[in-house]
Amino acid sequence: MESCMFPRKQNAILITDDDSLRELIYGLFPPDVMEWTHYRRATAAVEALFNEPPDLLLADNRLTDISGAEVASMVKSENVYRQLPVMLCLPPEDLEKGMDFSLIEADDFLLLPVGAAEARSRICLTISRALRSLDANPLSKLPGNTSIIQRIQDLIDRREDFALAYVDLDYFKSYNDKYGFSRGDEALMMTARVIVNTVRGFGGTASFVGHVGGDDFVFIMPPKHIEEACQRLIATFDQIIPNFYDHDDRERGRICSTDRQGNIREFPIMAISLAVVFNCNGSLKHYGEASAIAMGLKKKAKEIETSCYVLDRRKSNCDS
């Protein structure tokens, strides 16, 4: 049996109460290629799905609590999870009745009953297609630079009021140098989840979260919510981040690491800096303006050792 050539082990969620289908899916790939998490009910899977996004979601459309099609629509309606590949397991009668895939937005489907060879091939195709989407950040799965620029410019062109927050981790390099890339990636993933969950907590469809790369993120929200979002984000991050340090470093509140000149020195526990740019009444004409303003604000924020946010007060008087 040939396996897909993925750059790393894939984590997938399967939602079905059909034991025979579960056994077939679990036998498609070696555990070092694909690791499945199984749920019998969609309601039990949704919270885990949003907190720990998988590389693939496979949902049975015959579920009794929430259909697979409804789960797919739920996932794709969340801007930050639109790039998560979703497959449906469909009985023939569902196709015969007709399904509007422009509304469901599933990426592919398995027609039941399905053989192992076809299921394996279609799953491989779906994941490979998703991996070819170079824009998504490979670590966080959040939209990358192209999507970020397009979203900002689109909002500017439509003269919509918005607040754009640039997020940066302070002292991340020193943490990465001491604890290694694996633990550094864990800290970045935690940061991504905290940002996403903070933004989602305000509801609405006008929000957006992107991962520029490394320890740089952005998010977009209506101006009226941005300051409270910054406060919540900082409070949550500061509560969680000490747990990513060894006990002695956590108690001391500092670590010894190498600076950019190669000198050994002490660094504080990681902090998070936010620089917020406003587009009010068409004040911005190009996304480059937002970036230039943010760079100046970030310098001010980084002068403070603790987590903080800086607002571009000159342009913050947006209409509520």
PDB file of all heavy atoms in Angstrom, residues 264-278:
ATOM      1  N   ILE A 264      25.901  36.598  25.782  1.00  0.00           N
ATOM      2  CA  ILE A 264      24.981  35.983  26.731  1.00  0.00           C
ATOM      3  C   ILE A 264      24.430  37.072  27.655  1.00  0.00           C
ATOM      4  O   ILE A 264      25.187  37.837  28.252  1.00  0.00           O
ATOM      5  CB  ILE A 264      25.677  34.895  27.566  1.00  0.00           C
ATOM      6  CG1 ILE A 264      26.236  33.797  26.645  1.00  0.00           C
ATOM      7  CG2 ILE A 264      24.703  34.290  28.579  1.00  0.00           C
ATOM      8  CD1 ILE A 264      25.185  33.026  25.888  1.00  0.00           C
ATOM      9  N   ARG A 265      23.090  37.141  27.740  1.00  0.00           N
ATOM     10  CA  ARG A 265      22.466  38.124  28.621  1.00  0.00           C
ATOM     11  C   ARG A 265      21.103  37.613  29.071  1.00  0.00           C
ATOM     12  O   ARG A 265      20.625  36.575  28.595  1.00  0.00           O
ATOM     13  CB  ARG A 265      22.327  39.481  27.939  1.00  0.00           C
ATOM     14  CG  ARG A 265      21.597  39.470  26.624  1.00  0.00           C
ATOM     15  CD  ARG A 265      21.509  40.856  26.021  1.00  0.00           C
ATOM     16  NE  ARG A 265      20.579  41.692  26.751  1.00  0.00           N
ATOM     17  CZ  ARG A 265      19.437  42.153  26.222  1.00  0.00           C
ATOM     18  NH1 ARG A 265      19.114  41.856  24.984  1.00  0.00           N
ATOM     19  NH2 ARG A 265      18.646  42.912  26.943  1.00  0.00           N
ATOM     20  N   GLU A 266      20.492  38.333  29.971  1.00  0.00           N
ATOM     21  CA  GLU A 266      19.184  37.939  30.475  1.00  0.00           C
ATOM     22  C   GLU A 266      18.075  38.603  29.664  1.00  0.00           C
ATOM     23  O   GLU A 266      18.200  39.751  29.225  1.00  0.00           O
ATOM     24  CB  GLU A 266      19.032  38.316  31.953  1.00  0.00           C
ATOM     25  CG  GLU A 266      19.823  37.437  32.898  1.00  0.00           C
ATOM     26  CD  GLU A 266      19.408  37.671  34.347  1.00  0.00           C
ATOM     27  OE1 GLU A 266      18.885  38.767  34.659  1.00  0.00           O
ATOM     28  OE2 GLU A 266      19.599  36.745  35.160  1.00  0.00           O
ATOM     29  N   PHE A 267      16.991  37.828  29.484  1.00  0.00           N
ATOM     30  CA  PHE A 267      15.820  38.338  28.768  1.00  0.00           C
ATOM     31  C   PHE A 267      14.571  38.076  29.608  1.00  0.00           C
ATOM     32  O   PHE A 267      14.465  37.043  30.268  1.00  0.00           O
ATOM     33  CB  PHE A 267      15.659  37.638  27.415  1.00  0.00           C
ATOM     34  CG  PHE A 267      16.754  37.951  26.432  1.00  0.00           C
ATOM     35  CD1 PHE A 267      17.910  37.177  26.402  1.00  0.00           C
ATOM     36  CD2 PHE A 267      16.630  39.002  25.539  1.00  0.00           C
ATOM     37  CE1 PHE A 267      18.922  37.458  25.501  1.00  0.00           C
ATOM     38  CE2 PHE A 267      17.636  39.295  24.636  1.00  0.00           C
ATOM     39  CZ  PHE A 267      18.781  38.514  24.613  1.00  0.00           C
ATOM     40  N   PRO A 268      13.597  38.993  29.571  1.00  0.00           N
ATOM     41  CA  PRO A 268      12.350  38.781  30.315  1.00  0.00           C
ATOM     42  C   PRO A 268      11.513  37.662  29.694  1.00  0.00           C
ATOM     43  O   PRO A 268      11.783  37.181  28.592  1.00  0.00           O
ATOM     44  CB  PRO A 268      11.634  40.130  30.195  1.00  0.00           C
ATOM     45  CG  PRO A 268      12.666  41.096  29.707  1.00  0.00           C
ATOM     46  CD  PRO A 268      13.640  40.293  28.919  1.00  0.00           C
ATOM     47  N   ILE A 269      10.471  37.252  30.426  1.00  0.00           N
ATOM     48  CA  ILE A 269       9.463  36.347  29.880  1.00  0.00           C
ATOM     49  C   ILE A 269       8.826  37.025  28.675  1.00  0.00           C
ATOM     50  O   ILE A 269       8.645  38.251  28.648  1.00  0.00           O
ATOM     51  CB  ILE A 269       8.378  36.030  30.944  1.00  0.00           C
ATOM     52  CG1 ILE A 269       9.010  35.325  32.155  1.00  0.00           C
ATOM     53  CG2 ILE A 269       7.259  35.195  30.350  1.00  0.00           C
ATOM     54  CD1 ILE A 269       9.556  33.956  31.865  1.00  0.00           C
ATOM     55  N   MET A 270       8.483  36.255  27.663  1.00  0.00           N
ATOM     56  CA  MET A 270       7.909  36.817  26.449  1.00  0.00           C
ATOM     57  C   MET A 270       6.712  37.714  26.752  1.00  0.00           C
ATOM     58  O   MET A 270       5.905  37.424  27.635  1.00  0.00           O
ATOM     59  CB  MET A 270       7.465  35.700  25.497  1.00  0.00           C
ATOM     60  CG  MET A 270       8.508  35.273  24.489  1.00  0.00           C
ATOM     61  SD  MET A 270       7.836  34.148  23.249  1.00  0.00           S
ATOM     62  CE  MET A 270       7.730  32.630  24.194  1.00  0.00           C
ATOM     63  N   ALA A 271       6.625  38.782  25.980  1.00  0.00           N
ATOM     64  CA  ALA A 271       5.495  39.701  26.054  1.00  0.00           C
ATOM     65  C   ALA A 271       4.914  39.846  24.648  1.00  0.00           C
ATOM     66  O   ALA A 271       5.516  39.394  23.668  1.00  0.00           O
ATOM     67  CB  ALA A 271       5.941  41.055  26.602  1.00  0.00           C
ATOM     68  N   ILE A 272       3.764  40.461  24.551  1.00  0.00           N
ATOM     69  CA  ILE A 272       3.113  40.638  23.259  1.00  0.00           C
ATOM     70  C   ILE A 272       2.872  42.128  23.044  1.00  0.00           C
ATOM     71  O   ILE A 272       2.411  42.831  23.941  1.00  0.00           O
ATOM     72  CB  ILE A 272       1.794  39.831  23.183  1.00  0.00           C
ATOM     73  CG1 ILE A 272       1.276  39.774  21.749  1.00  0.00           C
ATOM     74  CG2 ILE A 272       0.740  40.346  24.150  1.00  0.00           C
ATOM     75  CD1 ILE A 272       0.190  38.723  21.546  1.00  0.00           C
ATOM     76  N   SER A 273       3.252  42.613  21.858  1.00  0.00           N
ATOM     77  CA  SER A 273       3.087  44.026  21.508  1.00  0.00           C
ATOM     78  C   SER A 273       2.085  44.148  20.365  1.00  0.00           C
ATOM     79  O   SER A 273       2.154  43.381  19.395  1.00  0.00           O
ATOM     80  CB  SER A 273       4.415  44.645  21.081  1.00  0.00           C
ATOM     81  OG  SER A 273       5.327  44.678  22.160  1.00  0.00           O
ATOM     82  N   LEU A 274       1.190  45.106  20.476  1.00  0.00           N
ATOM     83  CA  LEU A 274       0.176  45.323  19.446  1.00  0.00           C
ATOM     84  C   LEU A 274       0.214  46.779  18.992  1.00  0.00           C
ATOM     85  O   LEU A 274       0.218  47.698  19.818  1.00  0.00           O
ATOM     86  CB  LEU A 274      -1.227  44.999  19.970  1.00  0.00           C
ATOM     87  CG  LEU A 274      -1.479  43.559  20.392  1.00  0.00           C
ATOM     88  CD1 LEU A 274      -1.243  43.389  21.888  1.00  0.00           C
ATOM     89  CD2 LEU A 274      -2.904  43.148  20.066  1.00  0.00           C
ATOM     90  N   ALA A 275       0.272  46.974  17.689  1.00  0.00           N
ATOM     91  CA  ALA A 275       0.228  48.305  17.090  1.00  0.00           C
ATOM     92  C   ALA A 275      -1.034  48.384  16.246  1.00  0.00           C
ATOM     93  O   ALA A 275      -1.231  47.586  15.326  1.00  0.00           O
ATOM     94  CB  ALA A 275       1.462  48.546  16.227  1.00  0.00           C
ATOM     95  N   VAL A 276      -1.905  49.330  16.559  1.00  0.00           N
ATOM     96  CA  VAL A 276      -3.230  49.383  15.935  1.00  0.00           C
ATOM     97  C   VAL A 276      -3.349  50.604  15.032  1.00  0.00           C
ATOM     98  O   VAL A 276      -3.142  51.749  15.466  1.00  0.00           O
ATOM     99  CB  VAL A 276      -4.339  49.410  16.995  1.00  0.00           C
ATOM    100  CG1 VAL A 276      -5.718  49.443  16.325  1.00  0.00           C
ATOM    101  CG2 VAL A 276      -4.235  48.202  17.918  1.00  0.00           C
ATOM    102  N   VAL A 277      -3.672  50.330  13.772  1.00  0.00           N
ATOM    103  CA  VAL A 277      -3.867  51.367  12.758  1.00  0.00           C
ATOM    104  C   VAL A 277      -5.358  51.418  12.418  1.00  0.00           C
ATOM    105  O   VAL A 277      -6.013  50.385  12.311  1.00  0.00           O
ATOM    106  CB  VAL A 277      -3.047  51.045  11.491  1.00  0.00           C
ATOM    107  CG1 VAL A 277      -3.249  52.112  10.430  1.00  0.00           C
ATOM    108  CG2 VAL A 277      -1.568  50.894  11.833  1.00  0.00           C
ATOM    109  N   PHE A 278      -5.876  52.620  12.240  1.00  0.00           N
ATOM    110  CA  PHE A 278      -7.299  52.801  11.928  1.00  0.00           C
ATOM    111  C   PHE A 278      -7.483  53.317  10.503  1.00  0.00           C
ATOM    112  O   PHE A 278      -6.714  54.162  10.035  1.00  0.00           O
ATOM    113  CB  PHE A 278      -7.941  53.798  12.900  1.00  0.00           C
ATOM    114  CG  PHE A 278      -8.017  53.305  14.318  1.00  0.00           C
ATOM    115  CD1 PHE A 278      -6.961  53.495  15.187  1.00  0.00           C
ATOM    116  CD2 PHE A 278      -9.151  52.654  14.785  1.00  0.00           C
ATOM    117  CE1 PHE A 278      -7.019  53.056  16.505  1.00  0.00           C
ATOM    118  CE2 PHE A 278      -9.219  52.202  16.086  1.00  0.00           C
ATOM    119  CZ  PHE A 278      -8.160  52.402  16.952  1.00  0.00           C
TER     120      PHE A 278
END
